[in-house]
Amino acid sequence: MILEADLERKRRNFRVFNERGGKFRVAIVNVCNLNCFFCHNEAMVNPRRPGEDPNGKVGPVHISLDELLGIINAFTSLGGGQVNITGGEPLAHREIVRFLEDIDKRSTRVVLDTNVILADRLLNRPRIGNLDSIYASLHTTDGEIFRDQLGVGSISKVMANIVALKTHGYDVQINYSLGDYNKEEFGSVLKFAVRHGIDLKAITLVRPNEDPDFYRGAWIDPQWISAQIEATGARVVGSEDSLGGQTTTYAIGGMTVKVKNIARGRLETDFCSGCTYKEKCGEGIYGLRVGIDGLWKPCLLRHERFRSVTQEESYESQILTIIDEMIGSWENARFLTGVPA
């Protein structure tokens, strides 16, 4: 009876996680053709930052793409709501198409998080049916800002590829990460999105470490973004406190703009008890991460809570156990408000 009750609680918390918008983020590669200063790299050691302290982030083994596929399929078999395929840059993996096609997606929403520079790997073939949406990074339309802050490459190519992916039949959403360096660029990104009828989501930078220079200035509250959107005559069509922050949805013409404002709500659960980072992290309980470094990561900052993927226990059981720990007793959960320290 105790075991049955334990399993029922885990399944109940798994449902809460998914119903509240929790994300399962799977990093299939640890290389990228950009070097964005704010990239948390899914808590993997970032090879683009040779001086980064790997303490607490080094996995025991590098697990294979097929093992990650098995983990994703375990999540879908449980009825998981959404899996985000990430990296690094997932399109940099030569087997990305085969990988996406082999996912047993069932009712799970499959999303690809990408900078779209290598979009030809999707454009040179028929649309992949398993792929429900592409979340394309576009943090500026200014070529100089793009090169100086995010890495080499052409912002015009990024923008052209976003449009091309939509034309190819993919559902595309632009992800704009707000920081001090690009706060004046939101208007131009919004105009690009509206012009091409592409949904846009504005989010704030999420602290992956305690580097005092991480925000390159001050943390920017996206409330002023909402004011800019409302000044266009957009109307609010929805608002929810989901895992990761409060999200307000606006309708502009035939597309939507979502503003995720963690200052208006970020989830704290039993998992956060005693955490020294909870006033700083700016994320709260948001997503479970796993990657080629072979580690389950329930939180970006709490490296002591990382654990190894094991073959001694089913992937389904490991997923249920860790998400159960993340949610805890739901009656104790609360959404905190206010600017992260």
Side-chain angles (χ1 to χ4, degrees):
M1 290 296 295
I2 296 176
L3 291 177
E4 289 180 7
D6 183 58
L7 180 59
E8 176 55 33
R9 187 197 67 251
K10 289 181 179 181
R11 290 190 177 278
R12 183 173 62 249
N13 278 343
F14 184 77
R15 288 194 296 271
V16 169
F17 176 85
N18 289 285
E19 289 169 359
R20 287 285 183 161
K23 302 300 186 292
F24 185 40
R25 301 180 61 87
V26 180
I28 66 168
V29 69
N30 194 14
V31 296
C32 187
N33 42 13
L34 293 180
N35 189 19
C36 303
F37 72 87
F38 54 80
C39 180
H40 54 62
N41 205 45
E42 305 299 344
M44 297 184 293
V45 175
N46 194 329
R48 298 169 296 286
R49 297 174 190 158
E52 183 178 72
D53 180 7
N55 185 38
K57 299 169 85 174
V58 179
V61 294
H62 280 249
I63 61 178
S64 71
L65 203 64
D66 285 338
E67 288 175 283
L68 288 175
L69 182 65
I71 289 171
I72 290 174
N73 289 343
F75 182 75
T76 68
S77 73
L78 289 167
Q82 179 170 309
V83 58
N84 288 55
I85 310 303
T86 74
E89 169 48 50
L91 286 179
H93 202 298
R94 294 186 180 277
E95 294 188 65
I96 181 62
V97 170
R98 189 272 296 180
F99 181 81
L100 291 171
E101 290 178 334
D102 285 350
I103 292 174
D104 182 17
K105 76 185 299 300
R106 305 191 188 199
S107 62
T108 302
R109 178 174 164 81
V110 177
V111 174
L112 181 70
D113 290 0
T114 172
N115 61 38
V116 304
I117 291 174
L118 297 174
D120 283 350
R121 293 192 171 174
L122 300 180
L123 296 171
N124 290 336
R125 62 168 322 283
R127 181 186 176 279
I128 299 172
N130 267 354
L131 189 52
D132 292 292
S133 190
I134 294 173
Y135 287 178
S137 299
L138 183 65
H139 312 301
T140 178
T141 63
D142 184 285
E144 185 175 346
I145 293 176
F146 182 78
R147 289 189 299 273
D148 291 348
Q149 303 290 342
L150 308 181
V152 298
S154 166
I155 192 60
S156 60
K157 181 177 182 179
V158 170
M159 295 164 69
N161 282 350
I162 288 174
V163 175
L165 287 165
K166 182 189 176 188
T167 303
H168 201 61
Y170 286 107
D171 175 76
V172 181
Q173 172 184 287
I174 292 171
N175 276 359
Y176 166 87
S177 292
L178 169 67
D180 192 53
Y181 81 103
N182 71 338
K183 60 184 179 181
E184 302 303 327
E185 277 291 293
F186 176 73
S188 62
V189 173
L190 177 61
K191 287 179 182 178
F192 172 80
V194 171
R195 182 165 68 251
H196 295 284
I198 299 173
D199 291 344
L200 167 65
K201 187 174 185 179
I203 56 181
T204 49
L205 297 184
V206 176
R207 184 186 293 279
N209 53 50
E210 292 191 281
D211 182 354
D213 297 323
F214 172 71
Y215 293 116
R216 294 200 176 179
W219 183 84
I220 304 297
D221 190 321
Q223 185 172 351
W224 68 274
I225 283 184
S226 297
Q228 288 191 51
I229 295 171
E230 291 165 7
T232 69
R235 69 185 191 281
V236 176
V237 293
S239 181
E240 63 177 341
D241 278 332
S242 58
L243 273 66
Q246 185 197 74
T247 300
T248 303
T249 303
Y250 299 86
I252 304 178
M255 48 86 73
T256 62
V257 180
K258 294 183 179 181
V259 181
K260 181 170 141 180
N261 190 343
I262 57 177
R264 290 184 174 176
R266 57 193 183 277
L267 181 65
E268 178 183 301
T269 68
D270 291 335
F271 183 88
C272 306
S273 297
C275 177
T276 59
Y277 301 118
K278 65 181 179 180
E279 301 301 326
K280 303 177 181 179
C281 74
E283 184 171 64
I285 296 301
Y286 165 67
L288 172 60
R289 295 171 167 89
V290 70
I292 62 168
D293 56 352
L295 293 174
W296 300 107
K297 302 155 190 172
C299 173
L300 281 173
L301 283 167
R302 300 194 68 177
H303 300 166
E304 83 282 2
R305 299 297 293 268
F306 293 0
R307 68 179 65 174
S308 299
V309 174
T310 177
Q311 301 296 326
E312 305 302 315
E313 182 182 0
S314 72
Y315 294 144
E316 289 88 348
S317 178
Q318 292 174 71
I319 291 169
L320 288 175
T321 295
I322 297 173
I323 289 180
D324 179 55
E325 293 172 359
M326 293 169 68
I327 299 298
S329 296
W330 184 245
E331 59 268 23
N332 297 331
R334 60 188 183 127
F335 284 90
L336 303 179
T337 59
V339 174

